[in-house]
Amino acid sequence: MLARATELKQQGVDIISLGAGEPDFNTPAHIRAAAVDAIERGDTRYTPIDGTRELKAAIQAKFLRDNALDYAPEQILVSSGGKQSLFNLCLALLGPGDEAIVQAPYWVSYPEMVRLADAKPVIVDTGIEQGFKLTPEQLSAAVGERTRLVILNSPSNPTGASYSEEELSALGAVLADFPDVVIASDDIYEPIHWGKDPFVSFATACPALADRTVTVNGVSKAYAMTGWRIGYAAGPEWLIRGMKTVQSQSTSNPCSVSQAAAVAALDGDQSVVAEMTRHYKTRHDAVIEGLNAIPGFECRPGDGAFYAFPRVADAVRDLGLSSDLELAERLIAEARVALVPGTAFGAPGYLRLSFALSLDDLQEALNRVKSAVMA
Ligand code: PLP
């Protein structure tokens, strides 16, 4: 869908793409300046495979400050994006016969990474009725002898839903009986959060399981740094060591200049993140209202991230279409708006749209979608 949108744009068609999974803001000035300084200083060589001493110190300080989690440098791995940390985790931990529990709607890469490690993703459906959240009962039914990994993502891509401390504790209580299960807590959208309950990381909510939790985070989303490719993981030393081995024999250290920029991001003024989040929240409110005014669309407010995930099954039916894919195709052809079908996230009957673009563009896109659906 996104390739199609780009192609049409190149042909001069006025397409609004709501498909992007990245902030529309530029990287803040003090972070860009730190990168320039690093280049001038000559920080242009290989670094330790798992990240520079300075960046690891900044990550340790971040975990203490924001999550009350105390990690030693040996428990931290810096990667070329949170994506690589997660991939390293799957490769280091999983193998044939192993299962990883992934809730749907999911970030598209989770099941694929599990499959690349020759393991089996066990998908558990969580629809709009249950707020797109895994319940302890569902987790209890899915977990078993073969389960090696449970992946949690809060706030979520694609739904924006986040787990409260109480909800995480209840999931943790189920996993307490399965000592071989590792929990991956993907917190990449952590500060882009406005839910009524404060953000809590899984390892903070479930201290008894912290020694088998890998917390993944990064600077891509929070600091508008998607192109710099810096993410990180923290967890038990034995597993971080395995993940480092995978990275060592594939890509080695992440970009030295980007690591210096990430230090400035994590140690610097955090008000830049709050400012961007304020914009996302304003857009979120406008988008939720606009989507719920479209016949056959139903969208629950999110707690964070920059995505809305409306259920559109009624619109699909009323328009005589067969799926969310057909609806997305119709919207790109008739409304000139590109959205991602829910099927891509393991959730047919939904669409994902990103609100990481200006309010004016969002309003225009919503008007166009509404007109196309009502035509
Ligand atoms: N996790 C989730 C849920 C994401 O949406 C993304 C990016 O789209 C990532 C992880 C990885 O981000 P990055 O590799 O840029 O750090």
Coordinates of all heavy atoms in Angstrom, one line a residue, residues 21 80-84 86 107 110 153 155-157 186 188-189 216-221 225-226 229-232 307 352, ligand 1:
G21 N 5.4 4.8 9.8 CA 5.6 4.4 11.2 C 6.7 5.3 11.9 O 7.4 4.8 12.7
S80 N 21.5 -1.6 16.3 CA 21.1 -0.6 15.2 C 19.6 -0.6 15.1 O 19.0 -1.2 14.2 CB 21.7 -1.1 13.9 OG 23.1 -1.1 13.9
G81 N 19.0 0.0 16.1 CA 17.5 0.0 16.2 C 17.0 -1.0 17.2 O 17.7 -2.1 17.4
G82 N 15.9 -0.7 17.8 CA 15.2 -1.7 18.7 C 14.9 -3.0 17.9 O 14.9 -4.1 18.5
K83 N 14.7 -2.8 16.6 CA 14.4 -4.0 15.8 C 15.5 -5.0 15.8 O 15.3 -6.2 15.9 CB 14.2 -3.5 14.4 CG 13.7 -4.5 13.4 CD 13.4 -3.9 12.1 CE 12.0 -4.3 11.6 NZ 11.6 -3.7 10.3
Q84 N 16.8 -4.5 15.7 CA 17.9 -5.5 15.8 C 18.0 -6.1 17.1 O 18.3 -7.3 17.2 CB 19.2 -4.8 15.4 CG 20.3 -5.8 15.2 CD 21.7 -5.2 15.0 OE1 21.9 -4.0 15.3 NE2 22.6 -6.0 14.4
L86 N 15.6 -6.9 19.1 CA 14.5 -7.9 19.2 C 14.9 -9.1 18.3 O 14.7 -10.3 18.7 CB 13.2 -7.3 18.7 CG 12.5 -6.4 19.7 CD1 11.5 -5.5 19.1 CD2 11.8 -7.3 20.8
W107 N 2.8 -5.9 16.0 CA 3.8 -5.2 15.1 C 4.3 -6.3 14.1 O 4.6 -7.4 14.6 CB 5.0 -4.7 15.9 CG 6.0 -4.0 15.1 CD1 5.8 -3.1 14.1 CD2 7.4 -4.1 15.2 NE1 7.0 -2.6 13.5 CE2 8.0 -3.3 14.2 CE3 8.3 -4.9 16.0 CZ2 9.4 -3.2 14.0 CZ3 9.6 -4.8 15.8 CH2 10.2 -3.9 14.8
Y110 N 7.2 -9.1 14.7 CA 7.3 -10.1 15.7 C 7.2 -11.5 15.2 O 8.1 -12.3 15.4 CB 6.3 -9.9 16.9 CG 6.4 -8.6 17.7 CD1 5.3 -7.9 18.1 CD2 7.6 -8.0 18.0 CE1 5.4 -6.7 18.8 CE2 7.7 -6.9 18.7 CZ 6.6 -6.2 19.1 OH 6.7 -5.1 19.9
N153 N 4.1 -5.4 24.0 CA 4.4 -4.1 23.5 C 3.4 -3.0 24.0 O 2.2 -3.1 23.7 CB 4.3 -4.2 21.9 CG 4.5 -2.8 21.2 OD1 3.8 -2.6 20.2 ND2 5.3 -2.0 21.7
P155 N 3.2 1.3 25.0 CA 2.0 1.4 24.2 C 2.3 0.7 22.8 O 3.4 0.6 22.4 CB 1.9 2.9 23.9 CG 2.7 3.6 25.0 CD 3.8 2.7 25.3
S156 N 1.2 0.3 22.3 CA 1.3 -0.7 21.2 C 1.2 0.0 19.8 O 0.5 0.9 19.5 CB 0.1 -1.7 21.2 OG -0.3 -2.1 20.0
N157 N 2.1 -0.5 18.9 CA 1.9 -0.4 17.5 C 1.3 -1.7 17.0 O 1.9 -2.7 17.2 CB 3.3 -0.2 16.8 CG 3.2 -0.2 15.3 OD1 2.1 -0.1 14.7 ND2 4.3 -0.2 14.7
D186 N 8.6 -4.6 24.9 CA 9.0 -3.6 23.9 C 8.4 -2.3 24.3 O 7.2 -2.0 24.1 CB 8.5 -4.1 22.5 CG 8.9 -3.2 21.4 OD1 9.3 -2.0 21.7 OD2 8.7 -3.5 20.2
I188 N 9.3 0.8 23.1 CA 9.8 1.8 22.2 C 9.0 3.1 22.2 O 9.6 4.1 21.9 CB 10.0 1.1 20.8 CG1 10.9 2.0 19.9 CG2 8.7 0.9 20.1 CD1 12.3 1.5 19.9
Y189 N 7.7 3.0 22.5 CA 6.9 4.2 22.5 C 6.7 4.8 23.9 O 5.8 5.6 24.1 CB 5.5 3.9 21.8 CG 5.6 3.5 20.4 CD1 5.6 2.2 19.9 CD2 5.7 4.5 19.4 CE1 5.7 1.9 18.6 CE2 5.8 4.2 18.1 CZ 5.8 2.9 17.7 OH 6.0 2.6 16.3
V216 N 13.2 -3.7 25.9 CA 13.7 -3.2 24.6 C 13.2 -1.7 24.5 O 12.0 -1.5 24.7 CB 13.3 -4.0 23.4 CG1 13.7 -3.4 22.1 CG2 13.8 -5.4 23.5
N217 N 14.1 -0.9 24.1 CA 13.7 0.5 24.0 C 14.6 1.2 22.9 O 15.5 0.4 22.3 CB 13.8 1.3 25.3 CG 12.8 2.4 25.4 OD1 12.6 3.1 24.5 ND2 12.2 2.6 26.6
G218 N 14.5 2.4 22.7 CA 15.4 3.1 21.7 C 15.0 4.5 21.5 O 14.1 5.1 22.2
V219 N 15.8 5.2 20.6 CA 15.6 6.6 20.5 C 14.8 7.0 19.2 O 14.4 8.1 19.0 CB 17.0 7.4 20.4 CG1 17.7 7.2 21.8 CG2 17.8 6.9 19.3
S220 N 14.5 6.0 18.4 CA 13.8 6.3 17.1 C 12.5 7.1 17.2 O 12.3 8.1 16.6 CB 13.4 4.9 16.4 OG 14.6 4.3 15.9
K221 N 11.6 6.6 18.1 CA 10.3 7.2 18.1 C 10.2 8.4 19.1 O 9.7 9.4 18.7 CB 9.2 6.1 18.6 CG 9.4 4.8 17.9 CD 8.9 4.7 16.5 CE 9.1 3.3 15.9 NZ 8.6 3.2 14.6
M225 N 14.2 10.0 15.8 CA 15.5 9.6 15.3 C 15.5 8.3 14.5 O 16.4 7.5 14.6 CB 16.5 9.5 16.5 CG 16.8 10.8 17.2 SD 17.9 10.6 18.6 CE 19.4 10.1 17.9
T226 N 14.4 8.1 13.8 CA 14.3 6.8 13.1 C 15.5 6.4 12.2 O 15.9 5.3 12.1 CB 13.0 6.7 12.3 OG1 12.8 7.9 11.6 CG2 11.8 6.5 13.2
R229 N 19.2 4.9 13.7 CA 19.3 3.5 14.0 C 20.0 3.2 15.3 O 21.0 2.5 15.3 CB 19.9 2.7 12.8 CG 19.4 3.0 11.5 CD 17.9 2.8 11.3 NE 17.4 1.5 11.7 CZ 16.4 1.3 12.6 NH1 15.9 2.4 13.2 NH2 16.0 0.1 13.0
I230 N 19.4 3.6 16.4 CA 19.9 3.3 17.7 C 18.7 2.8 18.6 O 17.8 3.5 18.8 CB 20.6 4.4 18.4 CG1 21.9 4.9 17.7 CG2 21.0 4.0 19.9 CD1 23.0 3.9 17.6
G231 N 18.9 1.5 19.0 CA 17.9 1.0 20.0 C 18.8 0.2 21.0 O 20.0 0.0 20.8
Y232 N 18.1 -0.3 22.0 CA 18.9 -1.1 23.0 C 18.0 -2.1 23.8 O 16.8 -2.0 23.8 CB 19.6 -0.1 24.0 CG 18.7 0.9 24.7 CD1 18.0 0.7 25.8 CD2 18.5 2.2 24.1 CE1 17.2 1.6 26.4 CE2 17.7 3.2 24.6 CZ 17.0 2.9 25.8 OH 16.2 3.8 26.4
Y307 N -0.7 6.0 16.5 CA -1.5 5.2 15.6 C -2.9 5.2 16.1 O -3.2 5.1 17.3 CB -1.0 3.8 15.4 CG 0.5 3.7 15.1 CD1 1.4 3.4 16.1 CD2 1.0 4.0 13.8 CE1 2.8 3.3 15.8 CE2 2.3 3.9 13.5 CZ 3.2 3.5 14.5 OH 4.5 3.5 14.3
R352 N -5.0 0.5 10.0 CA -4.1 1.4 10.9 C -3.8 2.6 10.1 O -3.5 2.7 8.9 CB -2.8 0.6 11.1 CG -2.0 1.4 12.2 CD -0.5 1.0 12.3 NE 0.3 1.6 11.2 CZ 1.6 1.5 11.1 NH1 2.2 0.9 12.1 NH2 2.2 2.0 10.1
Ligands
PLP1 N1 8.9 -2.0 18.1 C1 7.8 -1.5 17.6 C2 6.5 -1.8 18.2 C3 7.9 -0.6 16.5 O1 6.8 -0.1 16.0 C4 9.2 -0.4 15.9 C5 9.3 0.4 14.7 O2 8.5 0.6 13.9 C6 10.3 -1.0 16.5 C7 10.1 -1.8 17.6 C8 11.7 -0.8 16.1 O3 12.1 0.5 16.0 P1 13.7 0.9 15.7 O4 14.3 -0.3 15.1 O5 13.6 2.1 14.8 O6 14.3 1.2 17.0

